[in-house]
Amino acid sequence: MSTEKRKIEPIFIDVIDGVTVSAIWNIKNQSKKEFQPVSVRVTFSRERWYYPTGYRVTYEDYEAIRNATGAKNPRAKARAAIKEHFDDVCV
């Protein structure tokens, strides 16, 4: 299944003084590989900047991380680490 047909919702999103910050599965520079980076995207005046989180995941893993709960769940730990990157950009 191609990624163009998938609805990709951000893991986290925040709007601060007209600047949108979101943690998203980055398919901007999509290659033929199944693994794509999770990035923090900053949008201001229709310009976008992407900051890496260090995670490269499949679409299925991305959805699992996005919906993860529980302290012992490894995907919830990945979600918490992505949240730290997200918070660093938001500050």
Side-chain angles (χ1 to χ4, degrees):
M1 176 185 225
S2 69
T3 55
E4 289 82 27
K5 296 181 182 185
R6 296 176 179 157
K7 176 76 172 150
I8 301 172
E9 297 289 333
I11 299 173
F12 306 106
I13 190 166
D14 198 1
V15 179
I16 307 164
D17 295 330
V19 178
T20 304
V21 182
S22 56
I24 192 149
W25 195 54
N26 185 357
I27 58 170
K28 182 180 75 140
N29 296 323
Q30 183 175 357
S31 63
K32 299 206 184 252
K33 297 178 183 172
E34 193 174 335
F35 290 86
Q36 298 296 329
V38 177
S39 300
V40 177
R41 181 179 67 196
V42 177
T43 307
F44 178 70
S45 295
R46 296 185 180 179
E47 289 190 48
R48 294 184 180 131
W49 297 270
Y50 292 85
Y51 298 93
T53 62
Y55 285 88
R56 295 182 68 84
V57 297
T58 63
Y59 176 77
E60 291 75 21
D61 286 337
Y62 175 79
E63 284 298 315
I65 289 169
R66 198 170 73 76
N67 298 313
T69 59
K72 293 185 179 182
N73 184 341
R75 290 187 173 129
K77 290 179 183 179
R79 180 182 169 97
I82 292 167
K83 177 72 170 150
E84 286 181 29
H85 288 281
F86 178 80
D87 289 343
D88 287 345
V89 173
C90 286
V91 173

